[in-house]
């Protein structure tokens, strides 16, 4: 582009507009107490982290709440306003009616299905890969019947050997396999969800951005990804950045305390999710944030406290 007067003006004016835009965003988001033309506490388009679609929908894995039966657990969850339950995929196809009956008339839905398949998709052995594909399809069909957002899968835990090497060819192969699985999932009204883990559990896939980039390359509505705050603590440089990079592909979130993978709040000051929640708000995230954690204290005390803490931090974000 030759820099004649017209181009010069266009360039500098757009620069000024960007600068103005930048200043506006900075002014709107700098301090929580700072208000512009809106009433105190009211959210506006001026808040850079405000997206009207964003909503905190909390979910528990099935074994998280106290209770001797599924119904007792759901009763407990209802009292806390928990709106999602995350069962394991193990044996799920035999439990579809049990879940449908227990959830009937409640304000709780199946959030996601946590793994539960056999084999692994990056095995060097075609029979083990087939085991993974076949058992995943059985779980996916059950997940679809239950209206789940998806079935969580890890391509290969570190202990699952021998595995295909971490090369470009393997990535292409992974994309092919997930395209098949994703198409099957979409036909059943659900998805498969890549979960990045920390390096001690799965060196192959560690960051939300990498999982999202694989989803983008596969380009299949049945293939999505998630972030787990526990793993993100070790692998991400920014919770907010990680979730923003997940963008439209982000289908699920796991949460735990950040030092011992216990109930949020049991690790004190370390249990800060505000930056991550800001990222979720920015992308208009309205799927589930699901507890995947142990418990140090009395479950009846620390669970309600954890729920309260997360709700407060979501408000703060
Ligand atoms: C494993 O650490 C994990 O986070 C699970 O959600 C894997 O499916
Ligand atoms: Mn997880």
């Amino acid at each position: 582009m030759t820099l004649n007067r017209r181009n010069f003006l266009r360039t500098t004016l757009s620069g000024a507009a960007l600068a103005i835009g930048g200043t506006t965003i900075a002014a709107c988001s700098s301090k929580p107490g700072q208000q512009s033309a809106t009433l105190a506490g009211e959210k506006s388009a001026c808040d850079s982290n405000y997206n009207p679609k964003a909503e905190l929908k909390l979910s528990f894995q099935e074994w998280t709440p106290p209770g001797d039966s599924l119904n007792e657990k759901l009763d407990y969850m209802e009292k806390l306003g928990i709106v999602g339950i995350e069962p394991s995929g193990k044996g799920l196809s035999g439990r579809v009616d049990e879940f449908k009956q227990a959830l009937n008339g409640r304000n709780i839905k199946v959030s996601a299905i946590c793994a539960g398949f056999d084999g692994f998709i990056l095995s060097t052995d075609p029979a083990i890969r087939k085991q993974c594909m076949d058992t995943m399809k059985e779980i996916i069909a059950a997940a679809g019947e239950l209206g789940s957002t998806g079935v969580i899968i890890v391509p290969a835990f570190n202990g699952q050997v021998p595995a295909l090497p971490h090369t470009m060819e393997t990535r292409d192969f992974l994309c092919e396999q997930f395209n098949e699985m994703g198409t099957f999932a979409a036909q059943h009204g659900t998805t498969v969800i890549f979960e990045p883990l920390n390096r001690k559990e799965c060196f192959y896939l560690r960051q939300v951005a990498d999982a999202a980039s694989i989803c983008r390359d596969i380009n299949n509505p049945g293939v999505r990804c998630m972030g787990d705050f526990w793993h993100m603590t070790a692998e991400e440089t920014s919770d907010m950045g990680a979730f923003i990079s997940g963008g439209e592909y982000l289908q699920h979130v796991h949460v735990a305390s950040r030092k011992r993978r216990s109930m949020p709040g049991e690790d004190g000051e370390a249990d800060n999710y505000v930056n991550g929640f800001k990222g979720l708000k920015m992308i208009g995230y309205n799927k589930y944030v699901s507890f995947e954690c142990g418990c140090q204290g009395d479950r009846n005390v620390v669970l309600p406290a954890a729920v309260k803490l997360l709700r407060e931090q979501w408000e703060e974000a």
Side-chain angles (χ1 to χ4, degrees):
M1 182 172 75
T2 45
L3 197 63
N4 57 30
R5 185 172 162 73
R6 211 163 158 196
N7 281 336
F8 173 78
L9 276 177
R10 199 187 289 153
T11 314
T12 47
L13 279 176
S14 62
L18 267 180
I20 290 164
T23 310
T24 308
I25 286 169
C28 283
S29 62
S30 54
K31 291 200 183 74
Q34 202 171 56
Q35 301 295 325
S36 53
T38 51
L39 297 171
E42 189 184 327
K43 292 280 184 193
S44 81
C46 187
D47 291 314
S48 64
N49 57 345
Y50 178 64
N51 181 319
K53 285 197 303 185
E55 188 188 345
L56 178 66
K57 294 201 308 206
L58 291 176
S59 159
F60 286 169
Q61 286 192 335
E62 189 182 352
W63 58 276
T64 300
D68 292 332
S69 65
L70 181 55
N71 269 306
E72 275 183 32
K73 286 169 186 283
L74 292 168
D75 288 345
Y76 181 92
M77 288 165 64
E78 246 170 12
K79 287 193 193 115
L80 282 179
I82 303 301
V83 291
I85 182 158
E86 181 183 321
S88 162
K90 194 62 85 192
L92 189 72
S93 56
R95 298 186 66 201
V96 170
D97 288 342
E98 179 195 349
F99 271 102
K100 277 188 178 169
Q101 275 170 25
L103 292 171
N104 188 28
R106 296 186 189 266
N107 185 29
I108 301 177
K109 294 188 166 43
V110 172
S111 55
I113 308 297
C114 194
F117 53 91
D118 297 322
F120 64 108
I121 209 68
L122 293 184
S123 172
T124 52
D125 182 345
I128 295 179
R129 295 201 296 263
K130 184 172 181 319
Q131 218 183 3
C132 176
M133 184 63 85
D134 292 350
T135 53
M136 269 301 283
K137 284 185 175 171
E138 191 181 328
I139 299 168
I140 289 166
E145 274 197 71
L146 290 169
S148 166
T149 63
V151 180
I152 298 167
I153 181 167
V154 175
F157 283 89
N158 290 344
Q160 292 181 310
V161 284
L164 294 169
H166 197 162
T167 59
M168 191 63 212
E169 286 71 32
T170 300
R171 190 183 192 278
D172 290 344
F173 174 76
L174 185 77
C175 289
E176 271 169 40
Q177 295 295 299
F178 270 80
N179 195 29
E180 178 182 334
M181 234 185 254
T183 298
F184 184 85
Q187 283 163 355
H188 286 263
T190 189
T191 67
V192 284
I193 306 174
F194 278 116
E195 182 173 10
L197 306 184
N198 75 68
R199 64 197 68 186
K200 290 182 189 160
E201 288 191 41
C202 169
F203 188 73
Y204 190 87
L205 187 62
R206 296 179 290 112
Q207 292 185 308
V208 176
D210 197 19
S213 136
I214 296 172
C215 294
R216 181 205 55 196
D217 292 353
I218 297 174
N219 190 24
N220 185 316
V223 182
R224 290 292 178 260
C225 68
M226 62 173 287
D228 179 329
F229 270 105
W230 167 251
H231 299 292
M232 287 165 62
T233 308
E235 299 296 340
E236 305 287 355
T237 53
S238 157
D239 292 339
M240 186 200 284
F243 285 138
I244 293 172
S245 71
E248 64 187 286
Y249 303 107
L250 197 80
Q251 189 82 345
H252 197 58
V253 170
H254 278 164
V255 71
S257 77
R258 310 202 77 160
K259 285 186 175 170
R260 293 173 295 174
R261 206 178 196 180
S262 203
M263 290 291 165
E266 286 199 293
D267 284 333
E269 294 288 298
D271 295 345
N272 193 320
Y273 310 93
V274 175
N275 184 258
F277 284 171
K278 279 186 178 167
L280 292 177
K281 283 188 169 180
M282 284 180 196
I283 62 169
Y285 184 79
N286 58 13
K287 300 201 171 65
Y288 297 88
V289 174
S290 194
F291 282 53
E292 187 187 53
C293 52
C295 180
Q296 309 293 316
D298 176 354
R299 203 165 280 268
N300 282 300
V301 176
V302 291
L303 245 182
V307 168
K308 183 167 174 283
L309 178 87
L310 292 181
R311 289 190 175 132
E312 283 169 1
Q313 292 197 5
W314 179 266
E315 281 311 306
E316 187 187 336

